[in-house]
Amino acid sequence: MTAEAAQSQKCEAESVSISRTDKITTEITFINQRNVPVKTYWLDYSGKRKFYAQIQPGDKVVQQTYVTHPWVITDVSNNCLVFIILTDNHAS
């Protein structure tokens, strides 16, 4: 399986993911290593994207969040690049 295919499968998880209530706070650091801007979205309790930041190339954003909350990183056209769900120990 190519890296592109693996990423596509992860992005497909966005359509069936929602934030769940959790009391464990954490933070996530988004670092844009691309040469173009990217956008960060939190998936709310209905599974809808909520825009949080546009990150310029080489910049980073530290975001407070909760364990079990999913995040989506997109290109400027809102195409999914990365899908992340936080767990107790790390992002998956």
Side-chain angles (χ1 to χ4, degrees):
M1 178 181 298
T2 66
E4 210 170 80
Q7 190 56 55
S8 174
Q9 288 182 342
K10 287 186 177 184
C11 284
E12 288 173 2
E14 177 186 354
S15 66
V16 295
S17 298
I18 61 170
S19 283
R20 301 189 190 291
T21 302
D22 202 305
K23 296 179 182 179
I24 301 171
T25 60
T26 190
E27 65 181 30
I28 186 168
T29 302
F30 299 108
I31 302 170
N32 183 1
Q33 297 178 333
R34 295 173 170 261
N35 60 1
V36 294
V38 296
K39 296 179 180 181
T40 63
Y41 290 89
W42 167 64
L43 294 186
D44 70 11
Y45 300 100
S46 299
K48 304 285 188 232
R49 288 183 182 182
K50 299 296 179 188
F51 175 76
Y52 267 74
Q54 181 163 307
I55 308 171
Q56 297 303 314
D59 286 351
K60 70 177 180 178
V61 169
V62 178
Q63 180 65 56
Q64 296 295 317
T65 188
Y66 290 88
V67 172
T68 72
H69 283 199
W71 290 84
V72 178
I73 311 303
T74 72
D75 61 19
V76 293
S77 298
N78 297 318
N79 298 305
C80 179
L81 300 171
V82 178
F83 175 79
I84 302 164
I85 295 180
L86 300 175
T87 64
D88 290 336
N89 298 321
H90 61 281
S92 58

